[in-house]
Amino acid sequence: MTQLSPGSGRVRVGVLVSGRGSNLAALIQAAQHPDYPAEIVLVAANAPGAGGLEIARSAGIGAVAIDHRPFKGDREAHEQAIDAALRAAGVELVALAGYMRIFTPWFVQAWRDRMINIHPSLLPHFPGVDTHARALAAGHDRHGCTVHWVTEGVDAGPVIGQADVPVLDGDTVETLAARVLTAEHRLYPQCVALAARSLRSQRRMDGAGSLPNLRRTPDP
Ligand code: GRF
């Protein structure tokens, strides 16, 4: 039997989605490469109709809907259910991909330095929603996307990577969003790989079986 040395295995990633899942699809595609340092082991959605669930199932990845509505405003109880699913799947790194709920401090702490998000703006510009409309209204000539560690501030955690695109004359929210989304699909797999490699080297330092908090990856 082959014995894996500490840190040689692929990092187990859980992806949380609320909607269509195009970033999830980009991650699944990247993870098919044998040299990719991460594997997607679970996709969870707070919305039972999320398109991302079907994308996961089609790829043979475990997919679970954990509807927030029955929890009737008890956000932490909903998050405990998500946390339990992630831990049961052996998830080491959580990637938010269009997950449209804000976490309580409890969940953020539970996954501190192990949870990343992709946001459709060049942070610190335009945290929150309606980023493309706000970039157009502000007259910016560059816009883009950011992958960052999740902290308690909304879209405020340390940046792992960014990709920018031009804002062109005549752009609408839709044309700009489509250009940014294409950049997201390149950026997110790169940043998940960076985070996974960082986790793996942390494993090597600490020995198999132990996964302490990941040291934050500096900007590439
Ligand atoms: C993306 O624009 C992402 O940056 C944001 O939500 C959107 C999700 O799109 N957080 P998709 O579900 O990955 O297609």
Side-chain angles (χ1 to χ4, degrees):
M1 191 177 114
T2 310
Q3 194 72 38
L4 290 178
S5 64
S8 64
R10 302 215 288 167
V11 168
R12 297 173 68 82
V13 177
V15 182
L16 301 187
V17 300
S18 294
R20 71 189 158 188
S22 70
N23 278 288
L24 167 66
L27 293 177
I28 290 171
Q29 192 181 0
Q32 282 166 358
H33 194 283
D35 293 336
Y36 197 72
E39 61 180 318
I40 298 165
V41 297
L42 182 72
V43 173
N46 67 301
L53 291 172
E54 199 42 52
I55 291 173
R57 289 187 187 115
S58 304
I61 295 167
V64 57
I66 303 175
D67 193 342
H68 62 275
R69 289 169 299 186
F71 291 89
K72 289 198 175 31
D74 187 348
R75 286 162 62 209
E76 196 171 304
H78 176 243
E79 293 170 353
Q80 280 170 4
I82 292 174
D83 181 72
L86 293 169
R87 293 187 193 281
V91 166
E92 299 165 291
L93 176 68
V94 175
L96 307 179
Y99 189 72
M100 299 305 289
R101 291 179 65 79
I102 294 172
F103 291 113
T104 66
W106 175 78
F107 192 85
V108 173
Q109 278 304 312
W111 290 92
R112 190 172 72 87
D113 295 345
R114 306 266 197 92
M115 179 158 59
I116 67 179
N117 179 45
I118 186 158
H119 179 75
S121 78
L122 294 172
L123 292 170
H125 294 297
F126 317 124
V129 297
D130 298 331
T131 58
H132 310 305
R134 288 156 68 200
L136 287 172
H140 286 198
D141 60 4
R142 306 294 299 181
H143 185 42
C145 50
T146 302
V147 177
H148 64 93
W149 294 103
V150 175
T151 57
E152 286 177 27
V154 175
D155 302 323
V159 170
I160 300 170
Q162 292 186 305
D164 69 334
V165 301
V167 180
L168 303 178
D169 286 347
D171 258 342
T172 63
V173 166
E174 289 73 26
T175 58
L176 185 54
R179 195 174 306 121
V180 171
L181 194 62
T182 301
E184 291 184 38
H185 296 163
R186 283 194 299 269
L187 180 68
Y188 211 9
Q190 292 170 1
C191 290
V192 168
L194 265 179
R197 288 199 180 94
S198 185
L199 260 177
R200 279 206 312 204
S201 57
Q202 191 71 18
R203 271 196 205 140
R204 259 179 232 119
M205 284 185 276
D206 294 303
S210 123
L211 263 177
N213 284 331
L214 174 60
R215 292 189 188 108
R216 290 191 171 121
T217 312
D219 291 359

